[in-house]
Amino acid sequence: MKHLILANWKMSPSSIKEARELFEYTKTAVGKMRAVSVVIAPPAVYIATLASAYKGNKVAFSAQSIDTYEDVIHTGALSPKQYKSVGAEYCLIGHSESGDTLDDLRVKTFLAIKYGLTPIVFVGESVRDVAGHYLTTIREQILITLKELSAGQINDIVFCYEPVWAVGQSEALDSYGVHQMALYIRKVLVEEYGASVARKMRILYGGSVKIGNISEILEIEDIDGVAVGRASTDKDVFVKLLRVANKA
Ligand code: PGA
């Protein structure tokens, strides 16, 4: 299976012109790569422009967030149906910067699937305690996300393990720690939904992924890809990172 590389642009870049340049550069590089598939989550205001001009199939687009409303009377809200209509195929849910509550994981995942977006759901602890209570937090996040879904719907969900304390830092969680958490998440999924469902679900790691650590993270069994924040918004850095990922 290809490595899934999520480029979470957050609020970058600051103009549509720069967004086009970053996308063009990324798209051209990815076009020649066989071992990676890229999902770009640009700011909402750029998705329609970028997606409508793209005819390839190596890059997919993601909403950075969706709202919990299905009706049309909430000022400023954007629905999964709207994102889908402008070319998004994925949406991020539960990112620590998005303000999503535990219950939002359930509602948003349900709505994303209802309207045909593949959810990439972020789970992860804010702090680690020596007693290991953070594992219970992650288990709760997984279970509430999947609460309203059938086994058939669960298959498509992507979980991204992203410890909040590792976002925007100089170092990621070490590969031993990433492996432990991937195994833990897979174990929770196996216990709740059985091995055949759990095996098909993709698990990513996020939090300070960069050129220097992406290979060792992608080599971990049970890790199907990575979420990249800062390193995805500099075109030269991101393309170098993709080249490394393509060889991992
Ligand atoms: P970072 O961000 O790669 O800059 O740590 C990751 C994220 O927020 O998903």
Side-chain angles (χ1 to χ4, degrees):
M1 204 193 271
K2 291 183 179 190
H3 305 303
L4 194 163
I5 314 292
L6 168 66
N8 180 7
W9 287 1
K10 307 192 182 190
M11 287 176 71
S12 293
S14 53
S15 71
I16 183 64
K17 182 171 174 288
E18 293 163 279
R20 275 206 198 95
E21 281 166 15
L22 176 57
F23 177 68
E24 286 299 315
Y25 203 76
T26 304
K27 175 196 87 175
T28 306
V30 176
K32 298 174 200 131
M33 297 182 187
R34 289 171 178 271
V36 293
S37 69
V38 174
V39 175
I40 296 180
V45 288
Y46 302 148
I47 289 188
T49 308
L50 299 178
S52 63
Y54 180 59
K55 305 287 174 244
N57 60 6
K58 290 277 187 78
V59 178
F61 291 93
S62 175
Q64 289 185 12
S65 182
I66 52 170
D67 286 291
T68 51
Y69 313 108
E70 282 187 87
D71 55 35
V72 292
I73 50 161
H74 290 274
T75 304
L78 291 168
S79 69
K81 198 173 178 185
Q82 289 170 317
Y83 278 110
K84 182 81 184 174
S85 77
V86 295
E89 291 174 60
Y90 290 78
C91 74
L92 311 188
I93 295 173
H95 190 284
S96 55
E97 290 157 2
S98 71
D100 284 349
T101 63
L102 198 54
D103 201 51
D104 286 341
L105 301 183
R106 174 183 67 79
V107 178
K108 292 188 177 186
T109 306
F110 179 79
L111 287 178
I113 289 182
K114 179 171 175 185
Y115 290 103
L117 297 176
T118 299
I120 301 180
V121 183
F122 286 74
V123 295
E125 74 283 4
S126 308
V127 285
R128 282 205 170 188
D129 56 305
V130 281
H133 294 305
Y134 67 94
L135 295 173
T136 312
T137 305
I138 291 159
R139 186 184 176 83
E140 272 169 12
Q141 292 168 338
I142 295 169
L143 296 190
I144 198 154
T145 298
L146 303 178
K147 199 169 174 190
E148 292 189 28
L149 307 173
S150 66
Q153 292 173 309
I154 286 173
N155 281 341
D156 286 337
I157 295 179
V158 181
F159 277 108
C160 179
Y161 171 64
E162 184 168 275
V164 180
W165 49 267
V167 174
Q169 304 299 314
S170 53
E171 296 300 329
L173 174 62
D174 61 52
S175 53
Y176 175 78
V178 175
H179 191 193
Q180 293 296 305
M181 291 311 299
L183 288 175
Y184 177 72
I185 292 169
R186 198 77 72 184
K187 176 172 168 283
V188 171
L189 295 171
V190 170
E191 281 167 5
E192 295 292 326
Y193 303 96
S196 65
V197 173
R199 206 181 310 117
K200 289 188 199 129
M201 295 176 70
R202 287 174 291 173
I203 300 175
L204 315 182
Y205 167 80
S208 300
V209 173
K210 51 189 182 178
I211 295 169
N213 60 23
I214 191 166
S215 281
E216 57 178 297
I217 294 171
L218 290 176
E219 275 159 19
I220 298 168
E221 220 183 311
D222 273 302
I223 285 291
D224 303 296
V226 287
V228 188
R230 286 158 299 164
S232 71
T233 59
D234 175 310
K235 61 182 176 23
D236 295 309
V237 171
F238 191 52
V239 166
K240 274 189 203 143
L241 182 139
L242 288 175
R243 288 197 187 113
V244 177
N246 193 43
K247 290 191 187 130

